[in-house]
Each structure stands twice: as C-alpha cells, then as structure tokens.
Amino acid sequence: GAPPRLSDRFERNCAFDIFYYRADGCEVPCDAHVDRGLLHAIWAPAFGLQLWQSGAWRSPAEVWPSFEPWRDVVVLANAEAEELSTEPWWPHGRMSACVHRVARVAQTRVSVSYELRAAFPAAAAVEAEVESGEAEAEGDGE
C-alpha cells in the first residue's frame, strides 16, 4: 500500500532546547546515547559533540573537514529514523541512528538543539509501557 503521510504522525512531539555547558565541569556532560525521535539538529559556536564513527569518537570537524561550528548545523538520524528505514515502502535504504555524546571542553559553551519526533507505533508502545509502569508504581504506595 501507499506509505502513511508522515505529517499525520507528528503530534506535539518536537523539542527545542538550549543547553549550557560549564567549562569547569568535572564529568562528561552527556554519555553515549541515541536520541529518540526522527531527526536532531544541533548548532553550537563551539562543540563538545562527538559522533561514534568507524569505531572511534570523532568531532564534527573530523567527520566533515569543512565543518565550521558558527556556520554549520549538525543533523543526526535518531531512533525513529532508523525504525522508519525498515518499513517496506521506504525507498532509500537502511539508516542507522547516530550514537553520540558530549565531551568536556576547555570553554563554557551553549548548544541550541531541535529534535523532530514522530508518533510511530513502536515509539507510542514504549511510551505507553513507561506511563503504565509509572501509574502502577504510584498505585503501589496506597
């Protein structure tokens, strides 16, 4: 059959964030992970972002030699993009969600982030399980 209209799957699931990372932080600001959602666009004048590629952690400038933090935006494929690429109607081949982390750097920095999320059945099922578990946990105290 015809693929579903992706616009039908977006339901108030987009997140716009501004992250502030202090230079004097003693731990890694954000461990390795894959974001939920479809796509994640990140802009920062100085990056601590590292991408897992070919068995090593690499900065955006190491992945894309012409990358300039003030000028360029990094767009990552997230968990739902990987899930979407397994659909039989998807014509563009398999995508892998981008494993990434935020490392410490010597300067305080700000990162602007926009995450596009879709309401795919698997994502909705996981969220329902989490909400169900939270509801059961709240009920246990009575």
Side-chain angles (χ1 to χ4, degrees), residues 16-87:
F16 176 80
D17 291 304
I18 298 175
F19 296 98
Y20 176 79
Y21 299 102
R22 292 176 29 176
D24 62 353
C26 57
E27 69 273 346
V28 173
C30 189
D31 288 329
H33 66 284
V34 169
D35 293 320
R36 74 181 185 121
L38 194 62
L39 298 172
H40 192 173
I42 305 166
W43 175 85
F47 267 99
L49 177 68
Q50 294 181 329
L51 312 171
W52 184 252
Q53 184 189 46
S54 303
W57 290 109
R58 303 181 193 283
S59 71
E62 291 172 305
V63 175
W64 304 287
S66 64
F67 180 83
E68 293 288 338
W70 280 99
R71 180 192 67 200
D72 299 324
V73 173
V74 173
V75 178
L76 307 177
N78 289 348
E80 289 177 2
E82 184 172 311
E83 179 184 338
L84 175 68
S85 73
T86 64
E87 295 289 336

Side-chain angles (χ1 to χ4, degrees), residues 11 36 80 83 118-133:
E11 28 176 72
R36 74 181 185 121
E80 289 177 2
E83 179 184 338
F120 288 98
V126 169
E127 288 177 14
E129 283 181 32
V130 169
E131 289 173 6
S132 173

